[in-house]
Amino acid sequence: MPRFEPTVSESHRLLPLVLIDAASGRQSLDLACLAPANHLVLNRINEALHRGIAEAKLLTLFEDFERPDADEIIEQRLRDHFDLDLRSVRVLCLTSTFHNEVMWGTYADNHGGCVVGFKASLKDSPFHVAKPVTYSEEAPIVGSGLDFLLYGDSQELRRRTIEAVCYTKKSGWSYEQEWRLITRRPNETDVTHGDYVFCPEEIESVTFGARAKPKFAEAICAITRKQYPAASLFRMTHQKGELSRIRVA
């Protein structure tokens, strides 16, 4: 889950100070984007200052603003949102490498399967929206908790949040060099996956693992030559303990 820096809990203590500073002219705010509730509070602070009420007295009125559990509440709501949204989401996980030993062992039947190479050759190809995964040990920062309290849930904040949730993984997975293609299918919420046809121009290669059996390779080659004639065929080999790729057709 993404996070704010400073956190929303910390920012609940900062918000009254910022609003008082803005009312006193010591700090400027983007009033056009300010959340409606903060506009109201700012006006009340201005009125109080004009009546001669001391800033220290005003601060005591904001003691109930503190919410030590604010970040936990936001995280749970975010999880609930994504749990509901996932029913219509389709994710195609890709990789930018074809010669990683661990990847072949884990995802390609211990070197017995094959790898399909894609390219975004068509103008409207969905592969144009594929994005690389970011690897980090820390939860991604999507913004300031103070800005969130001041200006609310903006479209830009939602965009950064979705990017962080969908395209961030722990550093230990960085060997995968993963890219993700994410689309939404609102009419498919009653199933957990979808099968979709690729355009012939979108498949540029098929690479067989070093342990791919001849019968399997022949079957895949027949499909490739018939449906994806522009695709090149390769095979992985072990040479001096290293994986290398040779062209077979």
Side-chain angles (χ1 to χ4, degrees):
M1 287 290 106
R3 61 190 173 96
F4 291 102
E5 185 61 45
T7 68
V8 176
S9 297
E10 294 168 341
S11 298
H12 270 288
R13 296 191 294 271
L14 299 174
L15 181 62
L17 295 171
V18 171
L19 292 175
I20 290 174
D21 281 349
S24 302
R26 295 188 297 268
Q27 182 168 333
S28 61
L29 298 175
D30 186 350
L31 297 180
C33 296
L34 199 64
N38 289 326
H39 266 296
L40 180 62
V41 173
L42 191 60
N43 289 335
R44 293 293 183 267
I45 293 174
N46 273 313
E47 293 172 3
L49 292 176
H50 286 141
R51 294 202 308 267
I53 298 177
E55 293 183 8
K57 176 65 175 177
L58 286 176
L59 281 175
T60 63
L61 303 177
F62 289 94
E63 292 177 353
D64 292 339
F65 270 45
E66 294 189 15
R67 291 294 303 271
D69 59 345
D71 295 278
E72 289 77 12
I73 292 173
I74 291 173
E75 179 176 333
Q76 187 56 54
R77 288 178 179 174
L78 191 59
R79 289 184 183 277
D80 292 342
H81 167 74
F82 274 96
D83 284 345
L84 289 173
D85 194 44
L86 282 176
R87 291 183 298 179
S88 64
V89 171
R90 298 292 176 264
V91 183
L92 176 63
C93 297
L94 307 159
T95 178
S96 59
T97 178
F98 59 81
H99 51 70
N100 185 287
E101 291 268 7
V102 179
M103 296 286 281
W104 275 102
T106 304
Y107 297 112
D109 194 23
N110 194 24
H111 300 258
C114 65
V115 167
V116 179
F118 297 101
K119 63 178 178 180
S121 58
L122 303 176
K123 184 178 181 180
D124 58 349
S125 171
F127 288 102
H128 284 297
V129 299
K131 297 179 182 180
V133 168
T134 298
Y135 299 94
S136 173
E137 282 304 300
E138 301 294 331
I141 298 173
V142 294
S144 161
L146 183 57
D147 285 344
F148 176 71
L149 293 179
L150 284 169
Y151 304 112
D153 184 11
S154 66
Q155 288 296 324
E156 176 60 20
L157 177 59
R158 291 191 179 199
R159 185 195 65 79
R160 291 199 299 265
T161 301
I162 291 174
E163 291 278 320
V165 172
C166 296
Y167 301 100
T168 305
K169 293 178 74 172
K170 285 285 191 177
S171 300
W173 296 97
S174 60
Y175 68 88
E176 292 184 338
Q177 298 181 42
E178 183 179 351
W179 286 59
R180 286 179 177 172
L181 173 57
I182 300 178
T183 61
R184 281 171 172 77
R185 305 280 177 155
N187 297 325
E188 299 179 12
T189 57
D190 57 336
V191 294
T192 58
H193 70 280
D195 296 317
Y196 311 107
V197 176
F198 298 109
C199 295
E201 299 85 353
E202 291 178 318
I203 295 183
E204 67 174 0
S205 67
V206 175
T207 302
F208 296 99
R211 295 175 180 166
K213 295 180 179 180
K215 187 175 181 180
F216 166 76
E218 289 169 5
I220 298 298
C221 283
I223 295 172
T224 304
R225 292 189 180 102
K226 180 179 180 180
Q227 300 188 32
Y228 309 100
S232 300
L233 298 172
F234 297 89
R235 186 178 187 90
M236 301 301 295
T237 63
H238 278 101
Q239 295 182 0
K240 297 181 180 179
E242 298 291 335
L243 275 180
S244 60
R245 188 169 77 159
I246 59 173
R247 186 162 184 161
V248 296

